[in-house]
C-alpha cells in the first residue's frame, strides 16, 4: 500500500497495489492526483510511505502543475 501525506502529516490518499509480483506492473502504482476527498491536489511537497511484505519505505515527492 502507498500512502500520501501532506508535510503536516494529513492523509491525502491511500493507493492499493494488487498486481502479482511476476506482473510487468508489479513496481508501478498510478495516482490520478485526486485526494481521498475527491479534490485535485495542489502544487507542493508531499510525503509518501510504501508498505509491503519487505518492510516500509518513506520519501518525498513534488507535484508541479
Amino acid at each position: 500500500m502507498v500512502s500520501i501525506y501532506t508535510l503536516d502529516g494529513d492523509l491525502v490518499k491511500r493507493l492499493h497495489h494488487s498486481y502479482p509480483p511476476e506482473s510487468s506492473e508489479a513496481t508501478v502504482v498510478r495516482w490520478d492526483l485526486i485526494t481521498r476527498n475527491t479534490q485535485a491536489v495542489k502544487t507542493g511537497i508531499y510525503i509518501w510511505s510504501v508498505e509491503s511484505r519487505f518492510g516500509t519505505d518513506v520519501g518525498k515527492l513534488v507535484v508541479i502543475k
Side-chain angles (χ1 to χ4, degrees):
M1 177 172 36
V2 178
S3 300
I4 311 291
Y5 300 92
T6 65
L7 290 178
D8 292 332
D10 297 323
L11 178 65
V12 175
K13 183 81 171 199
R14 279 212 170 99
L15 306 166
H16 297 279
H17 189 272
S18 59
Y19 296 107
E22 63 277 358
S23 167
S24 63
E25 296 286 318
T27 60
V28 177
V29 177
R30 300 188 195 284
W31 180 29
D32 57 6
L33 299 178
I34 301 297
T35 69
R36 64 189 177 115
N37 298 323
T38 64
Q39 298 175 337
V41 296
K42 296 181 180 180
T43 296
I45 301 171
Y46 295 85
I47 298 170
W48 56 263
S49 172
V50 176
E51 298 173 31
S52 75
R53 64 182 179 187
F54 301 109
T56 302
D57 199 7
V58 177
K60 293 181 183 176
L61 67 96
V62 176
V63 174
I64 301 172
K65 291 185 171 189

